[in-house]
Amino acid sequence: MKRIFPIFLSILLILGLFPAPAYAAPDWPSNISIEADGGAVMDADSGAVLFGKNLHETYYPASITKVLTALVVLENCDLNEEVTYSYDAVYNVESGSSNAGLDEGDVLTVRDSLYAMLLQSANEAANALAEHVAGSREAFAEMMNEKAAQLGCQDSHFANPSGLNDENHYTSAYDMALICQAAIKNPTFLEIDGARYYDLPPTKNYPEGSTVYAHHAMLLPSRSDYYEGAFGGKTGYTSLAGNTLVTFASRNGMTLVAVVLNGHQTHYSDTKAMLDFGFSNFQTSRISDLDSRFSSLGSDMSIAGLPTGDLSGLALEEGMITLPLTSSISDADVSVTYDLGERAPDNAIAQVQYTYNDRVIGSAYLLNRIGEAQETTITLPETTAADSGTSGSSADGETPAAGDSGAEAPSPAQSADGGSSSAPDSQNSGSGSQGSTGGFAIPSVVWIALAVAVVIAAAAGAVIYLNIQRQRREEERRRRQERRHQRLREIGVSDEEFEQMMAARKAARQADRGDRKSKR
């Protein structure tokens, strides 16, 4: 607490010296529209959402789910581990859904299975990988939801690794952009996802081996939908999800992620429109190249005559910011928060966030670069009395900071008159909150009271948050049901007919299992 207080005051001082502009920034570009029900284009470096349609509405993702599946697998497996395909992994899929022709008993590596899943969109490969990592698809789905939460997703719930129809399997355009932003930071994911084809080893159905090919038309120069700069992505389709698509593209130092949900056979043209919009209207830059208002953190500072200590160990990380081409950093507002999430680095002190007309366009963490043993150099002094005749350690056992000119507070073992400038005994007999030259330290009872207040506030906030989340989940479930009913009406199927179709499909799978077991 004592370390944060002077830093907080220092940053407030800096923001006061460089106030945000009082005038309104130019309008955010808006010359774009898409046909899909949901969509987004995000700058992968800054996290800024350049355009969004129904950004936080939930939709069925279909096979773009496999981006998250691949990310979880890569973080928990070695590529050379062997995956044995179970009967359930191969046949617990919808009839006619995407597959790579793999069968029960086939053994492939994790690498082989990832290529089959991402290029061929093989559902049996997704199932087998899930079983290999977590023991079951259900346990793997829990891992998917945990990972999504870590990435900041708030609108999603994943029920299987493949993306096949399930009313409890949904996401939003914003959440899917976050997942893709994380995935493309993994070089192995990029290598696999960006491949045009891959040769699988011999299997039961293909003794000579087989080849899987990329399905994403924007990656293929021979296709009319090819997009220059596109380097990865994933396609998806089910009868309820419609066309879904995620695409990654890079031009002129800017990397974009585009997401289409519930597309109406315009998923490629919608994606092109969003990518063109992003590349034509925005630029990405390092925050440190545009904003110097935090550069004074490297110097000793004082506030109202109270030294804050040597802040040279603090540094703003190399964050990125996205701005319209027609604007500058002076059009952005800046704020500082100390409420850091789970994704913050361990040595983060605060987060500096940039907004443009209330739209988040970038952020960077303020980091403490010095070691734990030196952290007490950034603190309010217990006393400002200089003991010019004494050398050695400070009162708390730490070596004085370089900017302190060797001055130190008397240790508890020193007598009140042990230094040439010490105060009379009568002034030192109190609680220690008053130093001999007017310096002060905040009494411990104040910190205890503040800590208790923070704990109470956090507990109350947690209760409120859980209630809001519960209400939100109920509302999302209701909206998903309404969208499913609407989608069924669009394709001319009643609710009763849909339930009959699902029951018949389930019975057919069970019968197929029985036939195969009897043949064995």
Side-chain angles (χ1 to χ4, degrees), residues 415-439:
S415 64
D417 59 353
S420 60
S421 61
S422 41
D425 290 347
S426 61
Q427 294 180 345
N428 292 331
S429 60
S431 64
S433 63
Q434 179 75 27
S436 60
T437 61

Side-chain angles (χ1 to χ4, degrees), residues 3-4 338 340 344-351 365-368:
R3 178 168 62 87
I4 293 296
Y338 294 90
L340 304 180
D346 292 338
N347 61 336
I349 299 288
Q351 186 181 44
Y365 289 106
L366 186 63
L367 305 176
N368 182 9

Side-chain angles (χ1 to χ4, degrees), residues 215-218 223 225 235 245 266-273:
H215 290 180
H216 199 313
M218 300 183 85
R223 300 286 293 273
D225 291 310
T235 59
L245 188 70
T266 60
H267 45 300
Y268 284 123
S269 58
D270 285 342
T271 297
K272 182 180 185 301

Side-chain angles (χ1 to χ4, degrees), residues 28-33 51 273 276-277 280-282:
W28 191 264
S30 59
N31 53 322
I32 180 178
S33 65
F51 165 79
D276 285 348
F277 170 77
S280 300
N281 291 280
F282 301 91

